[in-house]
Amino acid sequence: KAIAPLSQTAETSVKPDQLTPVYVGDAEHVAWTVDMHLDAQERPVAVFSVQVNGSSTQHLRSATGMDLRYFYARYDGARWHTNPLAHAGTELYGVESDYSGLAAIVPHRPERVFISTNADPVSGRPLVSSTDGRRHHEIFSGLTADGGATWGWTPVTRNSSADNLRPIVPIGDRLGTVVMWLRGTMRTYRDYDFEIVGYVEGRTFTEDDLRSGDQLARVAAACRQLHQGPRFVNDFDMFAI
């Protein structure tokens, strides 16, 4: 509901300290909003990041932004419940010490999230790729069964040769959970080399699935549509992927 008219000047009838606090930070715990959706009861669920110990290391430019954390908050209709979610790793680049890889709540299933981090979500251990020996941001899927108090994690990417950043999950579940993110290098918010990647979660059809309803006809139509399109830019062997 509306709480006040939108102000077009520096003056407003509602001050920040008049609103309900979700997380109370300080100079050593600087919060940054990331994502928010409504659950089935139309109650807000949010993810935000926190830079830890940033103030005490400001005199050391190389030391700020080295410990970012994600938090998960949900409103139960009476009060907010805020819990640690995961280690978010380090800043994306030097002059923006609050910039994390970001996270996304699954809109139709808010007990599930996707995060980008270059640290183990639980231990905070740096994620060093066995592919190139460098530290990269990877995508993880997280699931909670107790309202966000504890989380289980599954890697979506691992041992990458580039960073995987800023996951998003479009609203709608007709095709299952669709996850997209940026893969590449981010030097600043205006200087980057990215490709957009993602996947649609699903399962392998069985013979019974293909015999069910019009599934076989739909698969055949999809194959015809694929083969009518232009050839791929490069050749590939699906059995070698």
Side-chain angles (χ1 to χ4, degrees), residues 49-135:
S49 65
V50 173
Q51 181 189 169
V52 179
N53 298 328
S55 175
S56 62
T57 57
Q58 281 186 347
H59 64 292
L60 301 171
R61 175 64 261 175
S62 62
T64 59
M66 299 305 291
D67 188 2
L68 303 178
R69 314 283 181 95
Y70 291 125
F71 283 75
Y72 181 87
R74 63 179 181 85
Y75 184 65
D76 67 3
R79 67 185 184 91
W80 282 91
H81 301 265
T82 302
N83 292 287
L85 174 61
H87 285 270
T90 62
E91 63 191 7
L92 293 189
Y93 55 90
V95 298
E96 295 291 357
S97 58
D98 293 305
Y99 279 20
S100 68
L102 298 186
I105 299 168
V106 177
H108 59 275
R109 194 182 178 192
E111 68 275 13
R112 189 180 183 194
V113 301
F114 289 87
I115 67 169
S116 168
T117 177
N118 63 0
D120 183 280
V122 178
S123 69
R125 175 182 54 82
L127 296 178
V128 179
S129 172
S130 62
T131 300
D132 61 7
R134 300 175 62 185
R135 188 174 183 180

Side-chain angles (χ1 to χ4, degrees), residues 57-225:
T57 57
Q58 281 186 347
H59 64 292
L60 301 171
R61 175 64 261 175
S62 62
T64 59
M66 299 305 291
D67 188 2
L68 303 178
R69 314 283 181 95
Y70 291 125
F71 283 75
Y72 181 87
R74 63 179 181 85
Y75 184 65
D76 67 3
R79 67 185 184 91
W80 282 91
H81 301 265
T82 302
N83 292 287
L85 174 61
H87 285 270
T90 62
E91 63 191 7
L92 293 189
Y93 55 90
V95 298
E96 295 291 357
S97 58
D98 293 305
Y99 279 20
S100 68
L102 298 186
I105 299 168
V106 177
H108 59 275
R109 194 182 178 192
E111 68 275 13
R112 189 180 183 194
V113 301
F114 289 87
I115 67 169
S116 168
T117 177
N118 63 0
D120 183 280
V122 178
S123 69
R125 175 182 54 82
L127 296 178
V128 179
S129 172
S130 62
T131 300
D132 61 7
R134 300 175 62 185
R135 188 174 183 180
H136 291 296
H137 281 75
E138 306 284 5
I139 302 295
F140 287 83
S141 169
L143 184 64
T144 181
D146 53 15
T150 60
W151 291 84
W153 296 99
T154 302
V156 176
T157 65
R158 67 177 76 198
N159 292 318
S160 299
S161 57
D163 287 329
N164 300 276
L165 305 171
R166 301 190 167 182
I168 61 171
V169 180
I171 295 175
D173 61 350
R174 185 176 66 87
L175 295 176
T177 299
V178 179
V179 189
M180 304 181 73
W181 65 90
L182 302 174
R183 181 170 64 194
T185 302
M186 186 176 192
R187 291 172 287 273
T188 74
Y189 73 97
R190 294 187 299 179
D191 182 12
Y192 50 82
D193 294 304
F194 282 135
E195 58 183 351
I196 300 173
V197 297
Y199 74 99
V200 179
E201 289 190 327
R203 61 183 178 83
T204 303
F205 269 22
T206 66
E207 291 185 11
D208 289 338
D209 290 324
L210 287 173
R211 295 190 182 101
S212 176
D214 63 347
Q215 294 288 11
L216 186 58
R218 293 176 60 195
V219 170
C223 290
R224 284 193 294 270
Q225 183 177 9

